[in-house]
Amino acid sequence: MQPFYQGKVDNFCALYAVLNALQVLFHITPLEGRAIFNRTLLRYIHDTAAFQDILEHRIDYTDVVDAMCEDVRAHEFPGLRVERPFGPGASREEVWEMLRSCACPPLPRVAVFRFLRMIPPRETPYIDHWTVGHSMDVSGLHLLDCSLEAGGLYCLSFSRVADAAAPPPRREYVVIPSECVRVLSSSGAMRFTV
């Protein structure tokens, strides 16, 4: 018997990705993370349809990520900067270069992004997940990830990334929707004081 863990029964990986990025940038504590997480969910509690969409994974969570980042900037970290470097259709090379640049020190930037894990012949994603690019080495981009899935993807190599319009035949691949990449950084102002 396996215990339940984040992602097994909920769809909150996008929220965890933002929290993990904030941990990298601002060293937030678990208590601070819980407050941000709870405030994010409470924002949607009065809109039953929107909250149900979040619970049932009927959205891509990009708007939730953006709203969460704006809320964090307003409440905790006025120096949080959020870039949306791409619209739809950027190439895998462009996206990979951005992820690589965010994962190489000493730049105080971190990429939060969504990936779709595809396993042919399925035409729909096997996994639809948000994560954080944490570091890069010869094996690929290491992810600071909230999942504890035994078969989870924790290191992504460029060779596994495909453009949605040109998937490789008969092998597993990953698509990173370019419009779902967010680059978080700090402009220096650390946090509001109470």
Side-chain angles (χ1 to χ4, degrees):
M1 181 181 316
Q2 292 291 322
F4 294 127
Y5 48 83
Q6 193 288 314
K8 201 65 173 176
V9 296
D10 68 63
N11 295 306
F12 297 140
C13 59
L15 281 70
Y16 278 89
V18 173
L19 293 176
N20 286 332
L22 295 173
Q23 188 176 31
V24 170
L25 292 174
F26 301 108
H27 309 288
I28 66 169
T29 66
L31 190 58
E32 291 170 312
R34 180 182 306 142
I36 294 166
F37 184 90
N38 291 347
R39 198 171 61 234
T40 300
L41 289 180
L42 286 171
R43 154 187 221 116
Y44 297 95
I45 200 78
H46 297 294
D47 183 342
T48 305
F51 194 62
Q52 193 69 36
D53 287 346
I54 290 170
L55 293 176
E56 299 295 331
H57 199 281
R58 291 193 291 241
I59 60 172
D60 67 11
Y61 297 91
T62 305
D63 291 340
V64 176
V65 167
D66 290 341
M68 187 175 183
C69 289
E70 284 301 316
D71 182 69
V72 165
R73 183 185 4 250
H75 287 93
E76 284 90 7
F77 302 107
L80 176 65
R81 293 185 61 223
V82 180
E83 299 171 60
R84 297 161 186 85
F86 307 110
S91 72
R92 72 186 187 117
E93 291 83 7
E94 292 172 293
V95 171
W96 187 259
E97 179 54 30
M98 178 60 68
L99 298 179
R100 187 205 60 75
S101 72
C102 291
C104 294
L107 296 175
R109 301 181 338 154
V110 64
V112 174
F113 63 96
R114 175 180 175 225
F115 68 79
L116 309 173
R117 193 169 173 186
M118 308 297 290
I119 300 178
R122 269 180 81 130
E123 294 186 17
T124 58
Y126 170 67
I127 300 289
D128 182 346
H129 186 61
W130 282 81
T131 192
V132 174
H134 187 247
S135 63
M136 179 82 73
D137 63 20
V138 295
S139 58
L141 178 65
H142 295 272
L143 308 177
L144 185 62
D145 201 83
C146 61
S147 174
L148 297 175
E149 185 79 46
L153 184 59
Y154 303 104
C155 184
L156 181 59
S157 65
F158 178 68
S159 64
R160 291 183 75 177
V161 179
D163 286 317
R170 295 184 295 277
R171 71 171 171 89
E172 181 179 324
Y173 62 96
V174 171
V175 173
I176 301 171
S178 55
E179 68 275 14
C180 296
V181 175
R182 297 295 181 265
V183 176
L184 279 59
S185 61
S186 171
S187 65
M190 288 305 286
R191 67 175 72 212
F192 286 120
T193 56
V194 180

